[in-house]
Amino acid sequence: MFRKTIQVALIAILSLLVSQLLLAQTVMKEGHSPGYFTMDYEAAKTYAAKNKLPIFLNFTGSDWCSWCKLMQSSVFSQKEWDDWVVSRMVLVTLDFPQDQNIVPEKYRARNDSLSRQFGIRGYPTYVVLDWDGKSELGRLGAGQDKTAASFIAELKALLRFSESSIRGFETKISGTALETYKAAVEDLIKQRNLLNPAAGGAASPVDAAMRKVEGLQESFALTVMTRAEKKRFQTEKKKYDRSRAEIDAWIKTDPPNTDANRKKYADFLKRIDSSRSVMDQLLEKYLKP
């Protein structure tokens, strides 16, 4: 009886592991199912609009791109990713493989068109859209040290500015502060609608509008944080602003593309991401609608 119980438990564990592996590796070619990547962009957009969920576009070269394969292994095949993303985002794969049979013929021209529309210049590129399928919340890329946890943290920072999230925050404030915040939100949404994705990095009006909304949210959070939280946030904020100013000034010097400078750039980003992560963790519980 004991042996049979162990066998049943092992079968259950193996079944769970297999189901998680399939969830991570299977890319649907038709329709949409929560937690799975799909090539069916139209089905994904319909589901996102119906359920008010952001859309995650994975521009990839699945059978040749080493960075794409690394992210598949270190992020998208992890249980932590599956558990977090299944109810939070709609996942779309826009694949540009060497083996043309991987992508159905009916999607190939459409993938090329979307690549041009979003100004994709390399793989992988991850574009996050709001539930309307038009408003771009931001872009992410691959990284040698990225994990499911670190990538989720990056996504959380972007999703803070989804329309549902920024409008939901309105329930926390009132009076003149509410009117100021609503005006900032309307400006951000307007700037997003005017943005041409193919313009690449030319998103300064959107960035400025987003920083204003972010600043108003942070100002509110600081009024309700504990003294210790407030002190830690302000310390990390100073580090973050200083690192951003330093990297901006350094980039303006047009440094040569050397190993030393690539390491310096990576170190800048690491410092920025570290401070931003701490700030976002402190803000999260106060900014939830």
Side-chain angles (χ1 to χ4, degrees):
M1 177 65 72
F2 179 74
R3 181 180 296 177
K4 185 174 181 181
T5 301
I6 293 296
Q7 289 175 337
V8 170
L10 287 173
I11 290 172
I13 292 171
L14 286 172
S15 296
L16 178 61
L17 290 174
V18 169
S19 67
Q20 290 171 353
L21 183 63
L22 288 173
L23 180 61
Q25 295 185 346
T26 300
V27 176
M28 300 176 64
K29 294 183 178 178
E30 301 286 346
H32 168 269
S33 184
Y36 286 86
F37 278 98
T38 182
M39 295 185 185
D40 194 339
Y41 186 42
E42 293 305 319
K45 287 196 298 181
T46 298
Y47 186 89
K50 180 179 179 180
N51 294 278
K52 299 293 189 290
L53 291 175
I55 304 171
F56 182 86
L57 303 182
N58 174 17
F59 287 88
T60 182
S62 64
D63 65 346
W64 62 268
C65 169
S66 59
W67 285 104
C68 303
K69 292 178 180 180
L70 176 64
M71 291 295 287
Q72 175 62 34
S73 172
S74 60
V75 175
F76 305 135
S77 64
Q78 301 301 310
K79 183 178 184 298
E80 186 175 1
W81 167 261
D82 292 337
D83 290 345
W84 182 82
V85 80
V86 66
S87 61
R88 291 179 172 86
M89 302 186 79
V90 177
L91 307 176
V92 179
T93 288
L94 300 164
D95 203 353
F96 299 83
Q98 290 181 338
D99 180 358
Q100 292 295 302
N101 293 321
I102 292 176
V103 178
E105 185 176 359
K106 64 181 180 179
Y107 295 145
R108 295 172 196 166
R110 180 213 62 189
N111 285 2
D112 288 337
S113 176
L114 288 171
S115 180
R116 291 191 298 273
Q117 177 184 335
F118 287 98
I120 303 303
R121 294 176 172 84
Y123 304 107
T125 295
Y126 309 114
V127 179
V128 182
L129 304 177
D130 213 341
W131 61 266
D132 60 4
K134 299 176 183 178
S135 304
E136 184 175 321
L137 301 180
R139 300 186 180 206
L140 300 174
Q144 184 71 41
D145 300 323
K146 292 196 178 184
T147 63
S150 69
F151 197 68
I152 287 169
E154 290 183 76
L155 284 169
K156 284 182 177 179
L158 294 183
L159 297 184
R160 272 180 54 198
F161 298 99
S162 69
E163 184 171 353
S164 298
S165 179
I166 57 178
R167 289 197 185 281
F169 181 75
E170 293 173 1
T171 61
K172 290 182 173 290
I173 49 182
S174 59
T176 303
L178 176 59
E179 295 306 311
T180 301
Y181 182 77
K182 281 185 174 181
V185 168
E186 293 304 325
D187 183 53
L188 173 57
I189 292 171
K190 175 185 175 182
Q191 295 300 334
R192 280 179 181 164
N193 290 335
L194 292 174
L195 179 64
N196 174 15
S204 54
V206 174
D207 292 340
M210 189 178 296
R211 284 196 297 271
K212 185 169 184 178
V213 170
E214 181 180 42
L216 291 169
Q217 290 183 344
E218 290 178 359
S219 295
F220 166 80
L222 285 169
T223 67
V224 291
M225 283 182 182
T226 66
R227 181 177 297 178
E229 288 173 334
K230 183 177 180 179
K231 182 177 180 180
R232 191 179 183 200
F233 180 88
Q234 290 174 330
T235 298
E236 293 299 327
K237 176 72 170 174
K238 288 179 181 177
K239 292 180 182 178
Y240 176 81
D241 290 341
R242 183 169 60 248
S243 295
R244 288 296 301 266
E246 288 174 358
I247 193 174
D248 288 344
W250 180 68
I251 288 174
K252 287 179 181 178
T253 67
D254 194 22
N257 186 12
T258 63
D259 288 342
N261 282 337
R262 284 194 291 272
K263 183 180 184 304
K264 186 173 183 178
Y265 181 72
D267 289 342
F268 271 128
L269 294 184
K270 189 173 182 179
R271 284 160 46 194
I272 290 169
D273 290 344
S274 176
S275 294
R276 184 73 256 180
S277 178
V278 174
M279 291 162 61
D280 287 339
Q281 288 174 18
L282 290 168
L283 289 169
E284 188 172 3
K285 69 178 179 179
Y286 298 109
L287 298 186
K288 288 180 179 178

